[in-house]
């Protein structure tokens, strides 16, 4: 009898897991999910949602404007040989950096002597597509984790170039400087708000099931158009890619329902699926 009970227990565990997986697999079927990230960056999230049966709705609240005409950036690209580290915090920064390097005719600059650090697997993949080996990428995809990973490498006295958005948080630069690094921060691009009519947004949100935010700037500029956070329907799931974005949303008065444990679009979709299984 003991063996029979063990078999029954194994069968029950198998069936319960199968049932849970089936629920998760169909959790987003037909769900209308708003994407607020820039249009040129939305493709991966759109594909993941579509493969899950969801209906993605593009609502980019920011655009990326490269500062390619910046004499400040050009000067640092010409002086790359004087640096020990180059640090990127987004795919946008990587693309703009190497595009400008090519435009200036500096493709032959010996980059192999430099060390590279970045946040997140997407940024790492972007660097690798240019033949760059990434020396440091923290397991947690936030500036605080990147700072600690760099401090673990003892960067005192080393020259570090931060190529990132003009609106980036200062924690990385300040932390590196406090550790004795010589930091040059260059605003390689800026985020520009995309404006929407408030009534249009209210109608769209009323017909949607979830809205996603993948950066603090997407939250800020979305609310610039919406105005009052109370206009969000109570039934709308508000999902953030990570704790930094979620903290911004909460500070600005938004209710946050989902925060991904893994700060990637894949982690975001999985977290949304889990939420709909539990609460819909």
């Amino acid at each position: 009898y003991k063996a029979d009970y063990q078999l029954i227990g194994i069968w029950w565990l198998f069936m319960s897991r199968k049932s849970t997986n089936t629920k998760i697999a169909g959790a987003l079927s037909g769900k209308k999910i708003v994407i607020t990230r820039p249009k040129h960056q939305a493709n991966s999230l759109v594909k993941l949602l579509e493969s899950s049966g969801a209906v993605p709705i593009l609502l980019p609240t920011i655009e990326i404007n490269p500062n390619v005409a910046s004499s400040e950036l050009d000067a640092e690209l010409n002086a790359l040989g004087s640096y020990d580290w180059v640090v990127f915090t987004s795919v946008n920064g990587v693309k703009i950096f190497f595009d400008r390097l090519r435009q200036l005719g500096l493709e032959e600059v010996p980059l192999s002597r430099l060390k590279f650090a970045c946040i997140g697997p997407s940024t790492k993949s972007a660097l690798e597509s240019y033949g760059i080996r990434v020396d440091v990428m923290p397991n947690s995809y936030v500036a605080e984790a990147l700072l600690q990973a760099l401090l673990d490498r003892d960067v005192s006295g080393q020259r570090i170039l931060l190529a990132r958005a003009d609106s980036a948080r200062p924690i990385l630069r300040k932390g590196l400087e406090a550790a004795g690094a010589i930091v040059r921060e260059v605003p390689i691009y800026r985020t520009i708000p995309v404006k929407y009519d408030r009534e249009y947004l209210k109608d769209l949100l009323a017909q949607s099931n979830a809205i996603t935010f993948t950066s603090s700037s997407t939250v800020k500029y979305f609310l610039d158009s919406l105005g009052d956070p109370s206009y969000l329907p109570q039934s709308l799931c508000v999902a953030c890619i990570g704790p930094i974005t979620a903290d911004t949303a909460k500070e600005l008065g938004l209710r946050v329902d989902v925060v991904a444990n893994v700060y990637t679009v894949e982690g975001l979709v999985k977290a949304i699926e889990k939420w709909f299984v539990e609460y819909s």
Side-chain angles (χ1 to χ4, degrees):
Y1 291 112
K2 183 177 180 181
D4 288 342
Y5 281 122
Q6 286 176 335
L7 287 172
I8 291 170
I10 292 170
W11 175 84
W12 180 87
L13 182 61
F14 171 77
M15 292 304 292
S16 63
R17 285 181 177 175
K18 184 178 179 181
S19 175
T20 299
N21 290 337
T22 301
K23 286 181 181 178
I24 290 176
L28 299 185
S29 181
K31 297 291 190 296
K32 296 178 180 178
I33 300 181
V34 178
I35 300 173
T36 59
R37 71 184 334 196
K39 188 178 295 184
H40 74 279
Q41 285 185 303
N43 191 47
S44 58
L45 184 51
V46 167
K47 287 183 176 179
L48 282 169
L49 289 171
E50 286 179 338
S51 67
S52 299
V55 181
I57 300 172
L58 290 177
L59 186 81
T61 59
I62 60 173
E63 291 179 351
I64 303 302
N65 181 31
N67 290 338
V68 293
S70 168
S71 58
E72 183 181 12
L73 171 59
D74 290 355
E76 301 311 321
L77 291 177
N78 278 285
L80 272 181
S82 67
Y83 284 97
D84 300 292
W85 287 87
V86 182
V87 178
F88 295 97
T89 56
S90 72
V91 173
N92 291 317
V94 173
K95 184 178 186 306
I96 294 166
F97 180 93
F98 283 95
D99 282 354
R100 189 58 179 164
L101 203 65
R102 185 183 67 254
Q103 290 166 4
L104 293 174
L106 300 174
E107 304 101 312
E108 303 304 319
V109 171
L111 299 176
S112 58
R113 64 166 298 278
L114 294 170
K115 293 184 285 290
F116 290 84
C118 71
I119 292 178
S122 296
T123 307
K124 181 174 183 286
S125 294
L127 281 165
E128 289 173 342
S129 73
Y130 289 99
I132 301 299
R133 181 176 68 86
V134 175
D135 299 277
V136 168
M137 186 193 79
N139 292 327
S140 184
Y141 312 141
V142 292
E144 289 82 351
L146 179 57
L147 172 60
Q148 187 57 57
L150 286 167
L151 296 183
D152 290 343
R153 297 291 293 265
D154 187 15
V155 294
S156 177
Q158 298 197 7
R159 289 177 54 82
I160 300 176
L161 176 62
L162 297 184
R164 54 191 192 149
D166 62 346
S167 58
R169 294 185 300 140
I171 185 170
L172 187 55
R173 173 180 54 79
K174 289 183 176 180
L176 290 170
E177 289 176 339
I182 303 163
V183 182
R184 184 76 170 92
E185 185 171 18
V186 177
I188 199 167
Y189 65 93
R190 65 170 58 95
T191 54
I192 300 174
V194 178
K195 295 290 187 179
Y196 294 94
D197 176 75
R198 180 176 299 173
E199 294 306 314
Y200 166 77
L201 285 181
K202 290 166 69 174
D203 289 343
L204 177 66
L205 297 172
Q207 300 172 44
S208 302
N209 302 104
I211 184 168
T212 61
F213 297 104
T214 53
S215 68
S216 292
S217 55
T218 60
V219 178
K220 292 174 184 175
Y221 294 138
F222 168 77
L223 286 172
D224 279 352
S225 290
L226 184 64
D228 193 331
S230 66
Y231 290 139
L232 261 73
Q234 287 298 310
S235 60
L236 187 75
C237 171
V238 179
C240 295
I241 199 166
I244 303 300
T245 304
D247 286 346
T248 299
K250 292 172 186 176
E251 288 169 6
L252 295 175
L254 280 181
R255 180 199 75 252
V256 175
D257 301 297
V258 171
V259 182
N261 292 322
V262 179
Y263 316 147
T264 62
V265 291
E266 293 84 359
L268 180 60
V269 172
K270 287 180 180 178
I272 297 170
E273 286 177 328
K274 183 179 178 183
W275 187 90
F276 276 105
V277 167
E278 294 177 355
Y279 296 103
S280 65

